[in-house]
Amino acid sequence: MNGIFISFEGIDGAGKSTHIDGLAQAFRAQGRALTLTREPGGTPLAERIRQMVLNDTMDPMTEALLVFAARRDHLQQVIQPALARGDVVLCDRFTDATFAYQGAGRGFDWQILSQLEKWVQGFGQGTMVQPDLTVWFDLPASVAAQRLSSARVPDRFEAQPQHFFETVACGYARRQTENPVRFAQINADQPPAGVWVDVLAAMQSRGYLL
Ligand code: TYD
């Protein structure tokens, strides 16, 4: 069986986590081997970088370079081997988050991010590892802000004002325009059961789940 690489994206408060867990169960129930992982993170080295990125003050270029360094390790140690084994890889955020947060949100150069993407995700013969499918949980920043206000202690990103997330959401929209086939846009501004129906439909329409 071929591996399938699926990433999950959206602004903070979009509600990805429950649906990722639900999908993990659904794939396992249909007999698929699964790798459940996240970015920044997914390896011991990348998890240390995550702590820095989420907690330490730094300029946008440093932030971008750190998330790509973490990504390279994650791809080499976890994602590539899992896909080679034929696993379904469910990854909570991937490179679209870098374009949305460091690019749109922090204002770091989009073209340089594209170069870093080709470089870091390149594994010879002109191939670039990309998700087969990116599930984008789309909802207004104002709704996400209400959901986050009751949440735990915010990290550096969660502590940003609503305007930041409006800009990040524009970054995701731009990435979708640039990659229309890869993206499945889900209306996340509805009760969880409705979101789940749409997430399942995105899997079924691609033949990933029955
Ligand atoms: P998140 O995925 O929301 O995890 P949790 O549910 O544990 O809070 O947090 C990761 C944060 O990292 C999120 O605010 C977006 C940010 N991020 C970037 O800024 N750039 C990236 O490339 C990635 C992968 C994440």
Side-chain angles (χ1 to χ4, degrees), residues 12 16 39-40 50 54 67 71 92-94 97-98 101-102 152 157-158:
D12 289 270
K16 298 171 274 114
E39 288 213 346
R50 178 187 178 91
L54 294 190
V67 292
R71 181 160 302 131
D92 187 347
R93 300 191 184 280
F94 195 64
T98 313
Y101 282 78
Q102 281 67 52
R152 64 233 155 139
F157 294 100
E158 290 162 348

